[in-house]
Amino acid sequence: MDIATLFGIIVGFALVLGAIFLGGSISIFVNIPGLMIVIGGTFAATCVTFPLEEVLQAFGGGARAFGIKKVKPQEVVSTMVRIAEISRREGLVALEKIKTENALLKKACQLIADNADPMLIRDTVMIEIATMKRRHNVSIAVFKRLGMYAPAFGMIGTLIGLVQMLSQLDDPKSIGPAMAVAILTTFYGALMANLLFIPIAGKLKARTLQEEVQLNIIFEGAKSILENNNPRLVYEKLSSFISPKERRSGGRQ
Amino acid sequence: MDIATLFGIIVGFALVLGAIFLGGSISIFVNIPGLMIVIGGTFAATCVTFPLEEVLQAFGGGARAFGIKKVKPQEVVSTMVRIAEISRREGLVALEKIKTENALLKKACQLIADNADPMLIRDTVMIEIATMKRRHNVSIAVFKRLGMYAPAFGMIGTLIGLVQMLSQLDDPKSIGPAMAVAILTTFYGALMANLLFIPIAGKLKARTLQEEVQLNIIFEGAKSILENNNPRLVYEKLSSFISPKERRSGGRQ
Amino acid sequence: MDIATLFGIIVGFALVLGAIFLGGSISIFVNIPGLMIVIGGTFAATCVTFPLEEVLQAFGGGARAFGIKKVKPQEVVSTMVRIAEISRREGLVALEKIKTENALLKKACQLIADNADPMLIRDTVMIEIATMKRRHNVSIAVFKRLGMYAPAFGMIGTLIGLVQMLSQLDDPKSIGPAMAVAILTTFYGALMANLLFIPIAGKLKARTLQEEVQLNIIFEGAKSILENNNPRLVYEKLSSFISPKERRSGGRQ
Amino acid sequence: MDIATLFGIIVGFALVLGAIFLGGSISIFVNIPGLMIVIGGTFAATCVTFPLEEVLQAFGGGARAFGIKKVKPQEVVSTMVRIAEISRREGLVALEKIKTENALLKKACQLIADNADPMLIRDTVMIEIATMKRRHNVSIAVFKRLGMYAPAFGMIGTLIGLVQMLSQLDDPKSIGPAMAVAILTTFYGALMANLLFIPIAGKLKARTLQEEVQLNIIFEGAKSILENNNPRLVYEKLSSFISPKERRSGGRQ
Amino acid sequence: MDIATLFGIIVGFALVLGAIFLGGSISIFVNIPGLMIVIGGTFAATCVTFPLEEVLQAFGGGARAFGIKKVKPQEVVSTMVRIAEISRREGLVALEKIKTENALLKKACQLIADNADPMLIRDTVMIEIATMKRRHNVSIAVFKRLGMYAPAFGMIGTLIGLVQMLSQLDDPKSIGPAMAVAILTTFYGALMANLLFIPIAGKLKARTLQEEVQLNIIFEGAKSILENNNPRLVYEKLSSFISPKERRSGGRQ
């Protein structure tokens, strides 16, 4: 579990609910038709914007924002240095035996062991990285769009409420409550966008950036192994991906 | 039919109509002059912004957002691997016989069969991709602009209504309904932008990205065939364009 | 005449005037001091933003948005293929005799005929394209800025009107008309920006993109001629700049 | 003096003052605490945003927006052609004697005369250009930020005024004037941003673009001289930096 | 201490407090639930947006905006020239003895002394620079986001207050004070964003740009030393990183 994601959402909603309770009844903040317009409209517009499989993929990706599967860059660097040592001792063919969960690393090792053309290996790894980024960017784009449509449909709901209220201005006493209801959809849209959609898009982007670093370490490591650098220089180069603080604590091989 | 596009638009409008019905008569939401200003103004401004043939082309392209013509990347990869096998068995000249609906693939095969200079093939394919993107980007730009002009002319309509209402503030009773009418154009503009124009621009962009992947697979495949890689390595490289999940299910040749 | 530009502006203003007439007198929408603040302020701020010669050049360029001087990409492709044929039959020196109105094409032909270094030809053509884009981008930037300053000075005018109205709230009856006048400048600014400045900036950009394609065809054609490709391959390559539909209709040489 | 800058600012403020006079007393538009919040807050936030020396440098740069020191691209081209002729007649060493006020040109001549490695000359000139752009971009960024903070602090001032007014709603008669005062800071912020800060940022950017062209002419000219092109071809290439109209009037050497 | 950062924040808040005092009691500007919603909501949303360690790292980085640790580019240039002289007199191996606090410079010297492949040195230094930029960009992004969430939660707080006020419109006298309280959260959000979060993000960016220049000087210096340029030419090249004014005052070696 990524505690920060869940913690932030719970604390955020708790604060809003607290402020509502302090000011009186919570029932005046519930308006089912308003909720339907904002939530329904937002998702309808998102379905028009993206192919269905991308919307579903994004929600799968959004769930990832709550999960934890972080690989520290130091570990990837260590792995690559270890592979460099193996390839030096036992030859490039030995890389075929490397066992790893990382699909890119596996593919790179296999291509190196196959003695493939360095240019081909380079192209393959770069396509792999671009494909990963494109897939993640789609999920990020879906949540960003949700974060744009939610306030827009909040405003549309408020406009509907205002038109209805203004066209039957008979009883001055009814203006206040009717306007309160009209404003509610704007409130729903702003809250959903700023506490759910936009932040989740941000978390997915942070994840993508971290994963990108990891893939770049593998890419640069594979390049060095192919050019037959010695493991110490491989470490020197790859350790540049780690922040200085963590570098020191990891020590030098 | 791309179900998501039509489904999203219908559900979105149904929700809005539902909220209007719940609040009373639907007739107070109909204002013909207001509709004319928003729709007419939006299209007039769009005609000034783009050459006429680009506007018409965009509407043709917009219709595409409702159609389905998706080619799965896996299929393009399989095609390229098959072509690689043919070219290996029967020589590059055999590519002239390849039959395909994809214009770019056809052109690439012909140029390879003609034994054209690799640099020329590369340039030709890259120009082809750039031309495709430029053509699609124009359609996307038209819908994005429609999505910007609609709320702007909605606001212009509201300003006209407000000025008219305020300049004849004789009867306090008429303020409400007059203001309701004035607000209507803002409502029209926001609804059209957020449920039609901006989402359709998004769908067209998603289509373009998918088509781009397809063209890139052809580009990278042709490059590999020219450099005479074996079909297995062509598959290794091109499969990097496919997401890991679909890769496994497709199996390895 | 580019009909779309003029047509759009006339239809747009006609719709707005129609809505005004429907609602009553047109005189309440005329406010000379308000017009002066919006138009004057917008142009004053533009003069501070750009050097005077660039503002004047932009207005010259803006007039271009109404004119028509479109060269179809197919024609440029045909011209380049014809030149390739001439250069093949009669040698590169024959290019000196080529007659054309296009300044870039003329320069390129001359440099090729002079037997200049390919690197120099490349640099010269690329500088020429960059200079064209820079010049056009200045005009586009001027109209974009006009489209940003107009609503800003519209708002400034409204703020002035509101302050004056609020500071002398003696007669409640005068509030309405005074506020109507205050709102007028916002209306002027929004209308000018969305029906004139932003759309014209868009049309100029569309023109620049079309001209860029044309220059790129010349650039790629000249490159191919220098590398002594045969005219058929020159056509194969350059036809990639044309959309598939127009390609077929043009036939193959 | 760059007349346009001063002219625009004076005309803009004159129009605003005119509109104020037409509507009554100018004294209702003066509010010292409001001015202090907008001006003080804007500059305070800018001091937090940029290192002090960059803020001071930007104001020096801002003054440049009023000065004139324009070098026409034609003149730079002529100079480079002249230098090409000298270097041809008298050898590259003769460039040491070239006298020029332009620091980059001086440095380039000296490096060429020193017979430095072409790669080093290229690197040096490109660093010089990047340093110039970075320095100017800082000044542009400062004015852009001023143009963003001014309306923000205008709104903050208005919020303070509104809270104060609303919390003591005893006398309905005082509402109008109190609200007028509250709105004033929004007016100050909008006026300063749109007539001073944003336009000056624009002028500085225009200057930077012009200077960049000049440096690029020197860069491309030096490259050509090193590659020992003849002066006529140097002119052919560099004249591409000039707009066609000015090219003709300058004639061909 | 970076005086400008602290000075700006103190002066900014002093001006705002001054304006509040002038208008009456400061107590009407204090609303604890409002403060909790704005501060709490902003931080909650930020915790959802970024991994926890990045938020903490950003606050560490934010503190840096108050500290001073500026290294003048002239000094870095002098250091690199000195190193060039040493490497010339005593050979590249002598660089191992260079003592410096700059981690990148140390690494570069060590790699040069180790006689590593120039390509490897280049890659290593570039990765190091990219890692530094990525780390700083995360901190900048956190503060930018804080600056976006603060006004958003300010608006959310105001919407809550408005709904509560409007739904119990019994006593007209209570409208004013209730609305004043509702507006307060918008005021909190705008003030925090424009006087703290956005400016600190700006200062961190300015720092990053300065540090980038420094790393680029080291990068270009190391390149020159490897290519065995003489110290005078190293100075000629690196001095291009310094603004002309400081260059002169520093003199020529």
Side-chain angles (χ1 to χ4, degrees):
Chain A
M1 277 295 295
D2 179 45
I3 300 170
T5 307
L6 205 70
F7 170 83
I9 292 177
I10 290 174
V11 167
F13 277 107
L15 281 165
V16 169
L17 285 178
I20 290 175
F21 267 120
L22 277 180
S25 158
I26 203 166
S27 66
I28 55 170
F29 280 87
V30 180
N31 178 256
I32 304 298
L35 268 173
M36 274 176 60
I37 272 215
V38 178
I39 297 181
T42 300
F43 282 90
T46 304
C47 282
V48 182
T49 311
F50 297 94
L52 206 57
E53 76 264 22
E54 293 188 354
V55 178
L56 297 174
Q57 174 199 317
F59 287 127
R64 259 176 29 115
F66 293 91
I68 245 176
K69 215 182 72 176
K70 215 202 138 189
V71 179
K72 298 222 164 180
Q74 299 95 295
E75 294 170 16
V76 189
V77 170
S78 307
T79 306
M80 293 313 292
V81 172
R82 215 163 43 239
I83 291 179
E85 284 165 351
I86 294 174
S87 81
R88 196 157 219 219
R89 265 202 320 271
E90 314 177 26
L92 292 175
V93 193
L95 296 191
E96 196 154 22
K97 297 175 303 188
I98 299 286
K99 266 177 191 124
T100 168
E101 282 190 7
N102 186 301
L104 178 71
L105 185 49
K106 204 170 182 176
K107 194 162 205 170
C109 285
Q110 215 158 34
L111 285 169
I112 295 177
D114 282 8
N115 199 17
D117 184 59
M119 221 44 190
L120 176 86
I121 299 180
R122 193 196 162 89
D123 280 4
T124 305
V125 173
M126 284 179 76
I127 293 172
E128 198 84 31
I129 295 178
T131 301
M132 179 281 280
K133 276 169 79 172
R134 203 177 46 238
R135 209 170 53 240
H136 288 200
N137 282 343
V138 164
S139 301
I140 296 170
V142 169
F143 277 95
K144 270 192 184 163
R145 274 284 165 209
L146 285 167
M148 285 166 71
Y149 287 136
F153 281 92
M155 196 190 79
I156 287 172
T158 297
L159 289 169
I160 294 176
L162 284 179
V163 170
Q164 290 175 336
M165 180 199 82
L166 289 165
S167 59
Q168 46 200 197
L169 260 187
D170 304 329
D171 180 13
K173 273 195 181 164
S174 71
I175 297 179
M179 197 145 171
V181 171
I183 287 176
L184 271 182
T185 54
T186 295
F187 168 69
Y188 296 154
L191 195 61
M192 281 195 283
N194 287 293
L195 205 47
L196 284 181
F197 300 141
I198 299 175
I200 288 178
K203 184 79 100 205
L204 291 178
K205 198 180 165 195
R207 286 280 162 93
T208 301
L209 286 176
Q210 287 178 343
E211 206 162 322
E212 215 183 314
V213 170
Q214 201 182 320
L215 297 190
N216 276 325
I217 296 174
I218 294 173
F219 177 56
E220 290 291 338
K223 239 174 71 184
S224 285
I225 290 171
L226 270 171
E227 292 161 3
N228 201 12
N229 286 315
N230 68 48
R232 198 172 65 78
L233 289 177
V234 170
Y235 176 77
E236 274 310 320
K237 180 170 138 189
L238 297 187
S239 68
S240 297
F241 278 110
I242 315 174
S243 75
K245 244 186 269 169
E246 284 154 345
R247 222 178 284 177
R248 266 180 244 121
S249 75
R252 184 154 164 188
Q253 301 232 345
Chain B
M1 277 294 295
D2 179 46
I3 300 170
T5 307
L6 205 69
F7 170 83
I9 292 177
I10 291 174
V11 167
F13 277 107
L15 281 165
V16 169
L17 286 177
I20 289 176
F21 268 120
L22 277 180
S25 157
I26 202 166
S27 66
I28 55 170
F29 280 87
V30 180
N31 179 257
I32 303 297
L35 269 172
M36 274 176 60
I37 271 216
V38 178
I39 298 181
T42 300
F43 282 90
T46 304
C47 281
V48 182
T49 311
F50 297 95
L52 207 58
E53 75 265 22
E54 294 188 352
V55 178
L56 297 174
Q57 174 199 317
F59 287 126
R64 258 175 30 113
F66 293 90
I68 244 175
K69 215 183 72 176
K70 216 203 137 187
V71 180
K72 296 222 164 181
Q74 298 95 295
E75 295 169 18
V76 189
V77 170
S78 308
T79 306
M80 292 313 293
V81 172
R82 213 162 45 240
I83 292 179
E85 285 164 350
I86 294 173
S87 82
R88 196 157 220 220
R89 265 202 320 272
E90 313 177 28
L92 293 175
V93 193
L95 297 192
E96 196 154 20
K97 297 175 302 190
I98 300 285
K99 267 177 189 124
T100 168
E101 281 190 7
N102 186 302
L104 180 69
L105 185 50
K106 203 169 182 178
K107 194 162 204 172
C109 285
Q110 214 157 35
L111 285 170
I112 295 177
D114 282 8
N115 199 18
D117 184 59
M119 221 43 188
L120 176 84
I121 299 179
R122 192 196 162 89
D123 280 4
T124 304
V125 174
M126 284 178 76
I127 292 172
E128 197 85 30
I129 295 178
T131 301
M132 179 281 280
K133 276 169 78 172
R134 202 178 48 239
R135 208 171 52 240
H136 288 200
N137 282 343
V138 164
S139 300
I140 297 170
V142 168
F143 277 95
K144 269 192 184 164
R145 273 286 166 208
L146 285 167
M148 284 166 71
Y149 287 138
F153 280 92
M155 197 190 80
I156 287 172
T158 297
L159 289 170
I160 294 176
L162 284 180
V163 170
Q164 290 174 336
M165 180 199 82
L166 289 166
S167 59
Q168 47 200 193
L169 259 187
D170 304 329
D171 179 12
K173 273 194 180 165
S174 72
I175 297 179
M179 197 145 171
V181 171
I183 287 176
L184 271 182
T185 54
T186 295
F187 168 70
Y188 296 154
L191 195 61
M192 282 195 282
N194 287 293
L195 205 46
L196 284 181
F197 300 141
I198 298 176
I200 288 179
K203 184 79 99 205
L204 291 179
K205 198 182 163 192
R207 286 280 161 94
T208 302
L209 286 175
Q210 287 178 342
E211 206 162 323
E212 215 183 314
V213 170
Q214 199 181 323
L215 298 190
N216 276 325
I217 296 175
I218 295 174
F219 177 56
E220 290 291 339
K223 239 174 70 184
S224 286
I225 290 172
L226 269 172
E227 293 162 2
N228 199 13
N229 287 315
N230 66 49
R232 198 172 64 77
L233 289 177
V234 169
Y235 175 77
E236 274 311 320
K237 180 170 138 187
L238 297 187
S239 68
S240 297
F241 278 110
I242 315 175
S243 75
K245 244 186 269 169
E246 285 154 344
R247 222 177 286 177
R248 266 178 245 120
S249 75
R252 183 154 166 188
Q253 301 230 347
Chain C
M1 276 295 296
D2 181 44
I3 299 170
T5 307
L6 204 69
F7 170 83
I9 292 177
I10 290 174
V11 167
F13 275 108
L15 281 165
V16 169
L17 285 177
I20 289 176
F21 268 120
L22 278 179
S25 157
I26 203 168
S27 67
I28 55 170
F29 280 87
V30 179
N31 179 258
I32 303 297
L35 269 173
M36 274 177 61
I37 271 215
V38 178
I39 297 181
T42 299
F43 282 90
T46 304
C47 281
V48 182
T49 311
F50 297 95
L52 206 58
E53 75 265 20
E54 294 188 352
V55 178
L56 297 174
Q57 175 199 317
F59 288 127
R64 259 176 29 115
F66 294 90
I68 245 177
K69 215 183 71 177
K70 216 202 138 188
V71 179
K72 297 222 165 182
Q74 298 95 295
E75 294 169 17
V76 189
V77 170
S78 308
T79 306
M80 293 313 292
V81 172
R82 212 162 46 239
I83 292 179
E85 285 164 351
I86 294 174
S87 82
R88 196 157 219 219
R89 265 201 322 271
E90 314 177 25
L92 293 174
V93 193
L95 297 190
E96 197 155 20
K97 297 175 300 188
I98 300 286
K99 268 180 189 121
T100 169
E101 280 190 8
N102 187 301
L104 180 69
L105 184 50
K106 203 168 182 178
K107 194 162 204 171
C109 285
Q110 212 158 37
L111 284 169
I112 295 177
D114 283 7
N115 199 18
D117 185 59
M119 221 44 188
L120 176 85
I121 299 179
R122 193 195 162 89
D123 279 4
T124 304
V125 173
M126 285 180 74
I127 292 172
E128 197 85 29
I129 294 178
T131 301
M132 180 280 282
K133 277 170 78 173
R134 203 178 47 239
R135 209 171 51 239
H136 288 199
N137 282 343
V138 164
S139 300
I140 297 169
V142 168
F143 277 94
K144 270 192 182 163
R145 273 285 165 208
L146 285 168
M148 285 166 70
Y149 287 137
F153 280 92
M155 196 189 81
I156 286 172
T158 297
L159 289 170
I160 294 177
L162 284 180
V163 169
Q164 290 174 336
M165 180 199 82
L166 288 166
S167 58
Q168 46 200 193
L169 259 187
D170 304 329
D171 179 13
K173 274 195 181 163
S174 72
I175 296 180
M179 198 145 170
V181 170
I183 288 175
L184 271 183
T185 54
T186 295
F187 168 70
Y188 296 154
L191 194 61
M192 282 194 282
N194 287 293
L195 204 47
L196 283 181
F197 300 141
I198 299 176
I200 288 180
K203 184 79 99 204
L204 291 179
K205 199 181 163 191
R207 287 279 161 94
T208 301
L209 286 175
Q210 288 178 342
E211 205 161 324
E212 215 183 313
V213 171
Q214 198 181 324
L215 298 190
N216 276 325
I217 296 174
I218 295 174
F219 177 57
E220 290 291 338
K223 239 174 70 185
S224 286
I225 290 172
L226 269 172
E227 293 161 3
N228 200 12
N229 287 314
N230 67 49
R232 199 175 62 78
L233 289 176
V234 170
Y235 176 77
E236 275 309 321
K237 180 170 137 188
L238 297 188
S239 67
S240 298
F241 278 111
I242 315 175
S243 75
K245 244 186 271 169
E246 284 155 344
R247 224 178 284 177
R248 267 179 243 122
S249 76
R252 185 156 165 188
Q253 301 233 344
Chain D
M1 275 296 295
D2 179 45
I3 299 170
T5 307
L6 205 69
F7 171 83
I9 292 178
I10 290 175
V11 167
F13 276 108
L15 281 164
V16 169
L17 286 178
I20 289 176
F21 267 121
L22 278 179
S25 157
I26 203 166
S27 66
I28 56 171
F29 280 86
V30 180
N31 178 258
I32 303 297
L35 270 173
M36 274 177 60
I37 272 214
V38 178
I39 297 181
T42 299
F43 281 89
T46 304
C47 281
V48 183
T49 310
F50 297 94
L52 206 57
E53 75 265 20
E54 293 187 353
V55 178
L56 297 174
Q57 174 200 317
F59 287 126
R64 259 177 29 116
F66 294 91
I68 244 175
K69 216 184 70 176
K70 215 201 138 189
V71 179
K72 298 220 163 183
Q74 299 96 294
E75 293 169 17
V76 189
V77 171
S78 308
T79 305
M80 292 314 292
V81 173
R82 213 163 44 240
I83 292 179
E85 285 164 350
I86 294 174
S87 81
R88 194 153 221 221
R89 265 201 322 270
E90 313 178 25
L92 292 174
V93 194
L95 297 190
E96 196 155 22
K97 296 175 302 188
I98 300 286
K99 265 178 192 125
T100 168
E101 281 191 7
N102 186 301
L104 179 70
L105 183 51
K106 203 169 180 177
K107 196 163 204 172
C109 285
Q110 212 156 38
L111 284 169
I112 295 177
D114 282 9
N115 199 18
D117 185 59
M119 221 44 189
L120 176 83
I121 298 179
R122 194 195 160 89
D123 281 4
T124 304
V125 173
M126 285 180 74
I127 293 172
E128 197 86 29
I129 294 178
T131 301
M132 180 280 281
K133 276 170 80 172
R134 202 177 49 238
R135 209 171 52 239
H136 288 200
N137 281 343
V138 164
S139 300
I140 296 170
V142 168
F143 276 95
K144 270 192 182 162
R145 272 287 165 207
L146 285 167
M148 286 167 69
Y149 287 137
F153 280 92
M155 196 190 80
I156 288 172
T158 297
L159 289 170
I160 294 176
L162 284 179
V163 170
Q164 290 174 336
M165 180 198 83
L166 289 165
S167 59
Q168 47 198 197
L169 259 186
D170 305 328
D171 180 12
K173 273 195 183 164
S174 72
I175 296 179
M179 198 145 170
V181 170
I183 287 175
L184 271 184
T185 54
T186 295
F187 168 69
Y188 296 154
L191 194 61
M192 281 194 283
N194 287 292
L195 204 47
L196 283 181
F197 300 141
I198 299 176
I200 287 179
K203 184 78 100 205
L204 291 179
K205 199 181 164 193
R207 286 280 161 93
T208 301
L209 286 175
Q210 288 178 342
E211 206 162 322
E212 216 182 313
V213 171
Q214 199 183 324
L215 297 189
N216 276 324
I217 296 175
I218 294 174
F219 177 56
E220 290 291 338
K223 241 174 69 186
S224 286
I225 290 171
L226 270 172
E227 293 161 3
N228 200 12
N229 287 314
N230 65 50
R232 199 173 62 80
L233 289 176
V234 169
Y235 176 77
E236 274 310 320
K237 180 169 137 189
L238 297 188
S239 67
S240 298
F241 277 111
I242 315 176
S243 75
K245 243 186 273 170
E246 283 154 345
R247 225 178 283 176
R248 265 180 245 122
S249 76
R252 185 156 165 188
Q253 301 234 343
Chain E
M1 276 295 295
D2 179 44
I3 300 170
T5 307
L6 205 70
F7 170 84
I9 292 177
I10 290 175
V11 167
F13 276 108
L15 281 164
V16 169
L17 285 178
I20 289 176
F21 267 120
L22 277 179
S25 157
I26 203 165
S27 66
I28 55 171
F29 280 87
V30 180
N31 178 257
I32 304 297
L35 269 173
M36 275 177 61
I37 272 214
V38 178
I39 297 180
T42 300
F43 282 90
T46 304
C47 281
V48 182
T49 310
F50 297 95
L52 207 57
E53 75 265 23
E54 293 188 353
V55 178
L56 297 174
Q57 174 199 318
F59 287 127
R64 260 176 28 116
F66 294 90
I68 245 176
K69 216 183 71 178
K70 215 201 138 188
V71 179
K72 298 222 163 181
Q74 299 96 296
E75 294 170 17
V76 190
V77 171
S78 307
T79 306
M80 293 313 292
V81 172
R82 214 163 43 240
I83 292 179
E85 284 164 350
I86 294 174
S87 81
R88 195 152 219 221
R89 265 202 322 269
E90 314 179 25
L92 292 174
V93 193
L95 297 191
E96 196 154 24
K97 297 175 302 187
I98 299 286
K99 265 175 192 125
T100 168
E101 282 191 6
N102 186 302
L104 179 70
L105 184 51
K106 204 168 181 177
K107 196 162 205 170
C109 285
Q110 214 157 36
L111 284 169
I112 295 177
D114 282 8
N115 199 18
D117 185 59
M119 221 45 189
L120 176 84
I121 298 180
R122 194 195 161 90
D123 280 5
T124 304
V125 173
M126 284 180 75
I127 293 172
E128 197 85 29
I129 293 178
T131 301
M132 179 281 281
K133 275 169 80 172
R134 202 176 49 238
R135 210 171 51 239
H136 288 200
N137 281 343
V138 164
S139 301
I140 296 170
V142 168
F143 277 95
K144 270 192 183 163
R145 273 283 165 211
L146 285 167
M148 286 167 70
Y149 287 138
F153 280 92
M155 196 190 81
I156 287 172
T158 297
L159 289 170
I160 295 176
L162 284 179
V163 169
Q164 289 174 337
M165 180 198 83
L166 289 165
S167 59
Q168 47 199 198
L169 259 188
D170 305 328
D171 180 12
K173 273 195 182 162
S174 72
I175 297 179
M179 197 143 170
V181 170
I183 287 175
L184 270 183
T185 55
T186 295
F187 168 70
Y188 296 155
L191 194 62
M192 282 194 284
N194 287 293
L195 204 48
L196 283 181
F197 301 142
I198 299 176
I200 288 179
K203 184 79 102 206
L204 291 178
K205 198 180 165 195
R207 286 281 161 93
T208 302
L209 286 175
Q210 288 178 342
E211 205 161 323
E212 216 183 313
V213 170
Q214 200 182 323
L215 297 189
N216 275 325
I217 296 175
I218 294 174
F219 178 55
E220 290 291 337
K223 240 174 69 185
S224 286
I225 290 172
L226 270 172
E227 292 161 3
N228 200 12
N229 287 315
N230 66 49
R232 198 172 63 80
L233 290 175
V234 169
Y235 176 77
E236 274 311 320
K237 179 169 139 189
L238 297 188
S239 67
S240 297
F241 278 110
I242 315 175
S243 74
K245 243 186 272 169
E246 283 153 345
R247 222 177 285 176
R248 266 180 245 123
S249 76
R252 184 155 165 189
Q253 301 232 344

